[in-house]
Amino acid sequence: MNMELVKAHLNLNAVLVNLEDLVIYDKEMAALSKGWNLSVQFIVRKGPSAYILFENGTCTVRRGRRKKPSIILYFLSPAHLVKMFDGKAQPVLLKGFTKLGFLMKDFPKLTARLEHYLKPTPELLADKNYLAINTRFTITTAAFAIQELGLVDPVARMISSHIHKGVTLIKVMPEGPSAMLRFDNGAIEAAKGDFEKPMSAMLFRNLKVANDILNQKLDAFTAIATGDLMPRGRIGMVDSVSLLLDRIPLYLG
C-alpha cells in the first residue's frame, strides 16, 4: 500500500473540503474571500486531483478536474502534495501566473485559518465558537476521509464491502453539525448535512462529546454506556463505521 497516495487523497479530498464552511462560519474569512471569482486546480501525477471554486462569496471543493481553471497547481507525486500540506514543499505553477498576488498573499491567509481550526489545543477548545467550528470540521473530515479510504485503503475496502446498502448518519444532537455516509455494494459516498430516516446513526449528545470521541480522547464504548454516544438503527453498520473511523489517524496524525 502506498501511504503517501492515501495521505494525498485524504489531504486533497477530505481536508480541503472544509474551506467550503470556513468562508461561511468565519466572518474574517468570509470578508476576505467575498470578491474572489476564480478556480484553483490541484493535479497530482499518478494521484488524485481536485479543484476549489470561489464564486460570489461561496467556496466549492470537488474531486476531479474543472474545465478552464484560473490556476493549475501541479505536483510531481503524492509525496510532493503531502509535503506541501506539511509546509515543506511548493507546487509547480502550470497556469495562473497573473494570479501570483492571490497565491502569495490572499490564499495562504485562508489555508492558515483552516490549519488554525484543524489543530486544536485545550485552550482553543475552551472557546465555544472554536469548539463548534472544530467539531464541524472534524465530522466533515472524518466522513470524507472514509469515502477516500474506501477507494485507496485495502482494509477500508474490505470493511466497506461487508456493509449493508444504506446511509449512516453522524450527527451532534439536536441540530448538528452532521454528515452522512451512503454505502452501496462497497462504494462510499460522503456528504455534509442531515439525512431523514437513515438506516443507522451515530448520535452525539453534544459538541464536546463528539469532539472528544472523534479525536480519540473519549472511548466510544464508555460513551455508549453513559448515553453520550447513541447508536441507532443497524448496529452492525455503526460498528463498521467505527472501524473505518479508526483507520483515519493512521494517515492524518
Side-chain angles (χ1 to χ4, degrees), residues 76-201:
L76 302 173
S77 66
H80 184 192
L81 178 81
V82 173
K83 285 183 179 178
M84 187 206 70
F85 273 85
D86 290 338
K88 299 176 181 177
Q90 294 295 324
V92 179
L93 179 62
L94 292 186
K95 181 181 178 182
F97 293 97
T98 62
K99 310 292 184 184
L100 283 176
F102 168 80
L103 287 172
M104 299 297 291
K105 296 181 180 178
D106 296 329
F107 191 57
K109 293 179 182 176
L110 195 72
T111 55
R113 195 64 169 172
L114 178 63
E115 185 177 5
H116 164 74
Y117 284 116
L118 292 177
K119 293 186 175 180
T121 65
E123 292 75 20
L124 288 171
L125 289 172
D127 180 272
K128 290 183 179 179
N129 291 330
Y130 183 94
L131 175 67
I133 294 178
N134 175 262
T135 304
R136 179 179 295 277
F137 288 2
T138 302
I139 289 176
T140 296
T141 301
F144 282 82
I146 287 176
Q147 174 183 273
E148 296 305 309
L149 290 176
L151 293 172
V152 293
D153 179 69
V155 175
R157 283 207 303 269
M158 181 188 67
I159 295 170
S160 62
S161 69
H162 294 289
I163 299 177
H164 286 284
K165 182 177 180 179
V167 168
T168 296
L169 177 67
I170 303 171
K171 180 177 181 179
V172 177
M173 297 299 288
E175 297 180 348
S178 57
M180 59 153 243
L181 291 161
R182 188 188 305 278
F183 297 95
D184 187 358
N185 296 314
I188 307 173
E189 178 188 0
K192 293 180 291 183
D194 215 332
F195 188 84
E196 189 175 354
K197 296 181 180 178
M199 184 169 285
S200 64

Side-chain angles (χ1 to χ4, degrees), residues 236-251:
M237 286 184 74
V238 175
D239 289 341
S240 295
V241 170
S242 295
L243 292 175
L244 292 170
L245 286 170
D246 289 342
R247 302 290 299 166
I248 299 174
L250 298 177
Y251 306 104

Side-chain angles (χ1 to χ4, degrees), residues 2-13 15 48 78 81-82 85-86 149 152 250-253:
N2 187 329
M3 290 285 289
E4 297 305 304
L5 177 62
V6 179
K7 288 181 180 179
H9 271 266
L10 299 191
N11 278 306
L12 204 54
N13 294 316
V15 174
L81 178 81
V82 173
F85 273 85
D86 290 338
L149 290 176
V152 293
L250 298 177
Y251 306 104
L252 292 179

Side-chain angles (χ1 to χ4, degrees), residues 206-225:
N206 55 44
L207 286 169
K208 188 172 188 311
V209 166
N211 199 284
D212 285 349
I213 292 176
L214 292 174
N215 285 304
Q216 299 184 315
K217 296 177 182 175
L218 176 61
D219 176 67
F221 291 106
T222 301
I224 291 173

Side-chain angles (χ1 to χ4, degrees), residues 171-174 203-207 209-210 226-230:
K171 180 177 181 179
V172 177
M173 297 299 288
L203 307 178
F204 302 102
R205 183 182 296 279
N206 55 44
L207 286 169
V209 166
T226 59
D228 286 334
L229 173 59
M230 297 162 277

Side-chain angles (χ1 to χ4, degrees), residues 16-25 29-40 51-62 66 102 107 110 192:
L16 281 187
V17 72
N18 290 300
L19 291 174
E20 295 180 345
D21 285 331
L22 180 64
V23 303
I24 295 175
Y25 294 100
M29 295 301 103
L32 175 69
S33 60
K34 185 178 180 180
W36 296 355
N37 286 288
L38 53 81
S39 55
V40 183
Y51 66 87
I52 306 169
L53 172 64
F54 297 101
E55 192 174 44
N56 302 320
T58 66
C59 175
T60 304
V61 181
R62 290 290 181 271
R66 176 177 173 78
F102 168 80
F107 191 57
L110 195 72
K192 293 180 291 183

